[in-house]
Amino acid sequence: MGTVGKAITLLEMLGRGEPETALADLARRAGFDKATTRRLLVSLIAHGLVEQDEATRLYRLGAGVARLALMREAQFPFLRMAVPVVEALAAETDETVHLSEYSKRGLITVHVVESTRANRVSVQLGEVLPMHATASGIAFLAFTEEHIRDAVLAGPLPAFTPHTIGDAKTLAEHIAAARARGHSTGSQGFEEGVLSVAAPILGADGFAIGIIAVAAPKVRVQKGDIERYGASVAAAARDISERLFGRQGQPGRKRA
């Protein structure tokens, strides 16, 4: 792993769990020696991406991270356009609604509105969703470019629960069904007891750039809910796409 990769690893670790972390704990979790970890942290501090409390000597994410996020949002206002739609869908369903954006690392959860009910599904910000094991991933694969889909189908397809799709043929069938419906469904593939419905947010070229999904405890989902949630997430996804790019045409096809 190169220097940049190691620095990003530290930033991601600081973004999880406790808001402040000791040098020794960061080094241990990252698998780096203390000298390397300290050197990387000093560089990140110099760029405002990490801060160190003068009294406790603990490290935390710096304001520079928020600055970069704001700069990116100014150039591509994905959250500003999508958040009102996510909140409206959460109010309509009273279930957890989460928004993911695609990057080379996968589908990254960028916004979550949890259900107001005591028994609800929790989704962590920054979580990378596995493509083969979630409704979000399958919806994305149904409307992405062929080479991305083929890479996932080639495996590996690790199991997260006894219900995770584990073979390429079954996954391909789920992808085809999602494309035909315009949304996907997932039952306990990533977390037992959770049922999800998701739809793709299409870019200007008709390929998926992100996903909006409803996640609910399986025990609460009644007959007809899946169809209702499916129609709602598909409408929400279209709304976000139109806010970002204007009215969309046909879903993307393989580029020449």
Side-chain angles (χ1 to χ4, degrees):
M1 185 187 299
T3 301
V4 173
K6 290 178 179 178
I8 291 172
T9 295
L10 294 179
L11 289 173
E12 291 183 337
M13 287 183 173
L14 286 169
R16 301 191 188 105
E18 297 297 322
E20 295 185 322
T21 310
L23 172 65
D25 291 335
L26 274 174
R28 175 179 51 80
R29 287 162 52 195
F32 307 152
D33 60 70
K34 281 188 179 181
T36 297
T37 304
R38 183 181 292 107
R39 185 173 66 252
L40 291 167
L41 289 169
V42 168
S43 180
L44 290 168
I45 288 170
H47 289 85
L49 301 176
V50 171
E51 298 170 351
Q52 185 179 30
D53 188 285
E54 292 184 3
T56 66
R57 312 306 296 168
L58 298 178
Y59 295 89
R60 59 177 175 261
L61 289 178
V65 174
R67 176 175 172 270
L68 289 175
L70 289 170
M71 290 168 63
R72 201 271 181 168
E73 185 68 14
Q75 293 179 337
F76 181 62
F78 185 70
L79 280 175
R80 179 158 53 86
M81 296 294 102
V83 165
V85 181
V86 173
E87 292 176 345
L89 183 58
E92 174 191 336
T93 62
D94 200 14
E95 297 293 355
T96 295
V97 178
H98 56 99
L99 178 74
S100 301
E101 188 174 4
Y102 177 71
S103 76
K104 293 294 185 181
R105 298 187 57 203
L107 281 176
I108 300 175
T109 304
V110 295
H111 189 69
V112 180
V113 178
E114 290 195 354
S115 170
T116 61
R117 305 183 192 190
N119 181 20
R120 61 182 181 267
V121 177
S122 292
V123 180
Q124 298 299 312
L125 281 174
E127 185 168 18
V128 180
L129 301 176
M131 293 288 189
H132 68 292
T134 61
S136 294
I138 291 170
F140 178 82
L141 292 173
F143 291 89
T144 192
E145 296 179 77
E146 187 176 347
H147 72 275
I148 298 175
R149 183 166 50 249
D150 288 347
V152 175
L153 287 168
L157 304 174
F160 296 93
T161 77
H163 308 280
T164 303
I165 297 171
D167 64 278
K169 182 176 182 295
T170 303
L171 179 57
E173 291 171 353
H174 279 73
I175 292 169
R179 185 169 179 91
R181 286 194 306 264
H183 67 271
S184 66
T185 61
S187 182
Q188 307 185 91
F190 189 41
E191 183 179 350
E192 292 196 67
V194 174
L195 192 148
S196 299
V197 181
I201 299 163
L202 302 182
D205 59 3
F207 292 104
I209 62 168
I211 297 294
I212 184 170
V214 175
K218 191 173 186 295
V219 296
R220 190 158 61 229
V221 179
Q222 302 296 315
K223 185 177 180 180
D225 285 344
I226 297 299
E227 291 78 8
R228 180 165 57 86
Y229 292 162
S232 293
V233 295
R238 286 194 298 272
D239 189 357
I240 295 169
S241 294
E242 290 173 8
R243 288 169 180 240
L244 284 166
F245 305 107
R247 192 163 298 277
Q248 297 294 296
Q250 293 297 313
R253 310 209 177 266
K254 183 177 178 181
R255 289 191 177 96

